[in-house]
Amino acid sequence: MQAEVLNNHDIKVLITGASRGIGLSIATLFKEYGYSVITPTRSELDLSDVGSVRNYVSLHTNDISILINNAGINPLQGILDITYEDYMEVFQTNLFSVLELIKWCVPFWQKKLNGHVINISSIWGSISKPKRLLYGATKSALNNITKNLALELGEYNVLVNAIAPGFINTELTRLNNSFAELEKIKQQIPLKRLAEPLEVAKLAFFLGTQNSFITGQTIHIDGGYICQ
Ligand SMILES: NC(=O)c1ccc[n+]([C@@H]2O[C@H](COP(=O)([O-])OP(=O)(O)OC[C@H]3O[C@@H](n4cnc5c(N)ncnc54)[C@H](OP(=O)(O)O)[C@@H]3O)[C@@H](O)[C@H]2O)c1
């Protein structure tokens, strides 16, 4: 076990949006196993700002083995409420910045002939709900780039997967659903409860460390919600 921990220290994992919720749980798990975990704060890497993303990648050496694109925003808006600026902000944060970070990592992975991308998507990329218009669009696109990049990067042994959580017990969920709504939602989930962030983190850890042949997949972790 000690040897494994020492080796893990040489493996760098970059996780976006790790200040709380799912990202924090993923970062904590990788740290427990001795990985070198990089968790830029928003002042270091603001994904909604293309200049900030470009600045971050230009200042840092790209030697990231496992890239976990976790940060995401979900402003609840219907079609008549949305402005052009909203389109740009949600797409820049949830999708375009992801492409930039992956692009930055590819040369290192091509050299090493190994790499892992884990995109944190959502069930709203596969099914829909009112007011998840832009959010769902970005998450569907994330699922599609996951497949596309699995094809393009497979020859370099780069495995690209997405995790699509359902209702997870985080601030984002509590912000977008009232207590009463959450109680109702629980009854609609076959497992009759929300998931804890650690349950998503364990899947991300498996995909980043144990997985050697799953690629291009979007794995739903939703207690069976989208099966009905
Ligand atoms: N919670 C759920 O039930 C659920 C379900 C499906 C999918 N997801 C997905 O899972 C991921 C994490 O969700 P969560 O519930 O853990 O979210 P959360 O609690 O709202 O945390 C979001 C994280 O993203 C960061 N972030 C937001 N905008 C950013 C920006 N412009 N630049 C850099 N970082 C930014 C936040 O940083 P700050 O601290 O700076 O704000 C925070 O660390 C998201 O992609 C979300 O879409 C969540």
Side-chain angles (χ1 to χ4, degrees):
M1 187 60 196
Q2 187 61 23
E4 188 194 332
V5 169
L6 287 177
N7 290 340
N8 290 348
H9 187 70
D10 298 334
I11 301 175
K12 289 193 182 168
V13 187
L14 186 126
I15 308 168
T16 62
S19 66
R20 58 176 184 267
I22 294 170
L24 176 61
S25 201
I26 296 173
T28 306
L29 192 55
F30 273 92
K31 278 182 197 164
E32 274 172 22
Y33 280 86
Y35 288 81
S36 289
V37 177
I38 301 159
T39 54
T41 62
R42 196 190 291 227
S43 56
E44 293 165 309
L45 173 60
D46 181 352
L47 300 168
S48 69
D49 175 359
V50 64
S52 170
V53 177
R54 288 196 180 132
N55 189 46
Y56 186 87
V57 303
S58 72
L59 289 178
H60 294 82
T61 314
N62 99 58
D63 53 359
I64 304 298
S65 295
I66 305 168
L67 172 64
I68 305 184
N69 293 304
N70 164 76
I73 53 170
N74 180 9
L76 298 187
Q77 289 163 311
I79 183 73
L80 295 179
D81 307 323
I82 299 175
T83 63
Y84 187 80
E85 286 69 30
D86 295 326
Y87 309 155
M88 295 315 288
E89 186 184 2
V90 181
F91 270 83
Q92 172 59 38
T93 306
N94 293 3
L95 185 70
F96 301 151
S97 65
V98 169
L99 290 172
E100 286 298 303
L101 291 179
I102 294 172
K103 201 197 301 185
W104 170 60
C105 292
V106 166
F108 181 64
W109 295 333
Q110 285 177 320
K111 210 165 54 191
K112 271 190 25 169
L113 292 179
N114 188 234
H116 288 273
V117 182
I118 299 153
N119 294 321
I120 306 298
S121 179
S122 167
I123 52 168
W124 306 123
S126 304
I127 59 172
S128 208
K129 184 174 179 178
K131 299 200 170 176
R132 269 71 177 179
L133 182 63
L134 289 181
Y135 181 71
T138 59
K139 296 300 189 178
S140 295
L142 208 50
N143 298 347
N144 198 273
I145 67 159
T146 296
K147 286 195 241 186
N148 183 283
L149 291 171
L151 297 178
E152 183 172 344
L153 301 176
E155 67 179 293
Y156 305 108
N157 193 32
V158 176
L159 307 181
V160 188
N161 289 291
I163 293 176
F167 294 92
I168 314 299
N169 187 15
T170 68
E171 265 177 48
L172 186 66
T173 304
R174 289 188 293 273
L175 191 73
N176 289 343
N177 304 277
S178 67
F179 180 79
E181 280 167 337
L182 284 177
E183 286 308 303
K184 203 170 147 199
I185 285 165
K186 281 183 199 169
Q187 293 317 310
Q188 294 164 349
I189 298 170
L191 292 183
K192 304 292 178 209
R193 64 176 179 87
L194 307 187
E196 291 305 317
L198 179 60
E199 296 179 279
V200 181
K202 285 179 181 170
L203 177 55
F205 187 77
F206 166 78
L207 288 173
T209 65
Q210 305 297 308
N211 173 35
S212 53
F213 211 62
I214 301 170
T215 194
Q217 303 304 308
T218 296
I219 302 172
H220 293 88
I221 175 162
D222 66 347
Y225 185 80
I226 68 159
C227 296
Q228 31 207 345

